[in-house]
Amino acid sequence: MARGQQKIQSQQKNQKKADAARKAGIDQKAAAAKALNHKCTVCLAMMPDPKTYKQHFENKHPKSPLPAELEAV
């Protein structure tokens, strides 16, 4: 845990870094949302790939029938 002057310097450094990223157009939320391209048909949760989607579906919705797009995975 940083204290005193070191804490203030660390906060200023992090603020400058965040401002630079914002000016450069880097948006972490948009990048994360772009990577999630599979949507669960039951709970509408987003998953990055079919393998994760299948695992999610088998664990969270065991009584529901498996969607056709997950049969081959």
Side-chain angles (χ1 to χ4, degrees):
M1 219 39 182
R3 299 183 189 267
Q5 183 66 21
Q6 185 181 6
K7 180 180 177 182
I8 294 168
Q9 288 173 344
S10 178
Q11 288 173 343
Q12 290 172 346
K13 179 181 170 187
N14 289 335
Q15 185 62 41
K16 285 182 186 177
K17 192 175 183 181
D19 290 342
R22 198 172 299 121
K23 285 181 184 177
I26 299 170
D27 186 14
Q28 291 179 343
K29 288 183 183 179
K34 188 177 179 182
L36 301 174
N37 49 9
H38 296 281
K39 186 184 282 190
C40 178
T41 56
V42 177
C43 65
L44 304 178
M46 301 294 286
M47 265 68 67
D49 55 53
K51 183 178 177 184
T52 306
Y53 180 21
K54 185 173 183 177
Q55 288 176 345
H56 160 82
F57 206 89
E58 290 171 345
N59 291 321
K60 300 292 182 182
H61 316 293
K63 294 180 182 178
S64 300
L66 203 62
E69 67 238 22
L70 295 179
E71 295 290 335
V73 177

